[in-house]
Amino acid sequence: MSGQESREVLAFWFDELAPAQWFRQDSALDDEVRRRFGDTHAAARRGELDGWRQSARGRLAEIIVLDQFSRHIHRDTAGAFAADARALALAREAVAVGDDAALPARERAFLYMPYMHSESLAVHDEAQGLFAQLGLEDSLRAERRHRDILERFGRYPHRNAALGRASTEEERAFLARPGSSF
């Protein structure tokens, strides 16, 4: 897959979509991501996009494919989270080599997103420092909210049904509350 395709991913995510669309459930958008980027996502899952990592923005595109597009392509199924470990590994590599510093805050937020999606409190300890940077205040608030849920439950109860996990009574009560979803 070419660098052109990585640029198409970023143009779609940051130019074609409005920020309000990034986190909203929308079956038409899910279908569009599946149609336009399903093959790219499959290639990323197979580890075939390594060439994209030669630039900060290419690495970011691969992370978006694995982290964000997974959630659209596999909505409400275990597949939505199946690439999370790979996305987190790529994000950690990007931070280690300083690729994050080359990106504007809006893009950096998505490079760091796999940290927020982790169900590890140790990973969230790392995330707190990353999201504490200037320009990422909204993302830091979201990170703190995610971490609070992990501290309380040890996992994200929102994923239980998709992952075949039984919810506790406390988790069911939490999920039934207005505003409990991300």
Side-chain angles (χ1 to χ4, degrees):
M1 300 226 142
S2 70
Q4 174 63 29
E5 289 166 321
S6 69
R7 289 187 292 278
E8 289 173 14
V9 165
L10 296 176
F12 172 75
W13 194 253
F14 292 111
D15 300 332
E16 292 180 41
L17 296 183
Q21 293 176 283
W22 290 335
F23 306 113
R24 184 175 54 210
Q25 288 191 16
D26 177 341
S27 60
L29 178 57
D30 293 348
D31 290 342
E32 182 175 2
V33 171
R34 198 175 295 112
R35 179 183 56 77
R36 287 178 63 181
F37 300 104
D39 290 342
T40 303
H41 180 266
R45 292 279 314 273
R46 291 189 302 267
E48 296 173 0
L49 302 184
D50 294 0
W52 289 17
R53 297 180 205 154
Q54 300 197 10
S55 72
R57 296 194 85 235
R59 189 184 301 266
L60 171 64
E62 185 177 7
I63 289 168
I64 287 172
V65 168
L66 290 167
D67 185 66
Q68 295 298 312
F69 288 6
S70 289
R71 283 158 169 74
H72 288 280
I73 290 169
H74 300 290
R75 172 109 32 220
D76 298 325
T77 71
F81 316 108
D84 282 5
R86 186 175 189 86
L88 178 60
L90 291 172
R92 282 179 155 162
E93 286 175 11
V95 169
V97 299
D99 277 352
D100 56 329
L103 300 171
R106 173 174 90 140
E107 294 179 1
R108 225 175 318 124
F110 283 96
L111 186 125
Y112 299 152
M113 197 70 62
Y115 289 84
M116 191 183 302
H117 288 154
S118 173
E119 287 188 315
S120 164
L121 285 172
V123 172
H124 282 265
D125 290 343
E126 295 174 53
Q128 297 275 321
L130 295 170
F131 284 113
Q133 298 174 48
L134 185 64
L136 297 177
E137 294 83 5
D138 290 341
S139 295
L140 178 60
R141 279 189 289 281
E143 164 54 31
R144 288 179 175 153
R145 186 163 178 242
H146 281 72
R147 191 177 200 295
D148 289 347
I149 292 169
L150 281 179
E151 282 183 320
R152 181 173 174 188
F153 300 107
R155 61 189 183 174
Y156 292 131
H158 309 82
R159 297 180 182 179
N160 289 351
L163 295 175
R165 302 187 302 207
S167 293
T168 66
E169 186 65 36
E170 184 183 7
E171 288 173 331
R172 284 191 295 277
F174 171 76
L175 293 171
R177 285 191 352 227
S180 68
S181 66
F182 295 116

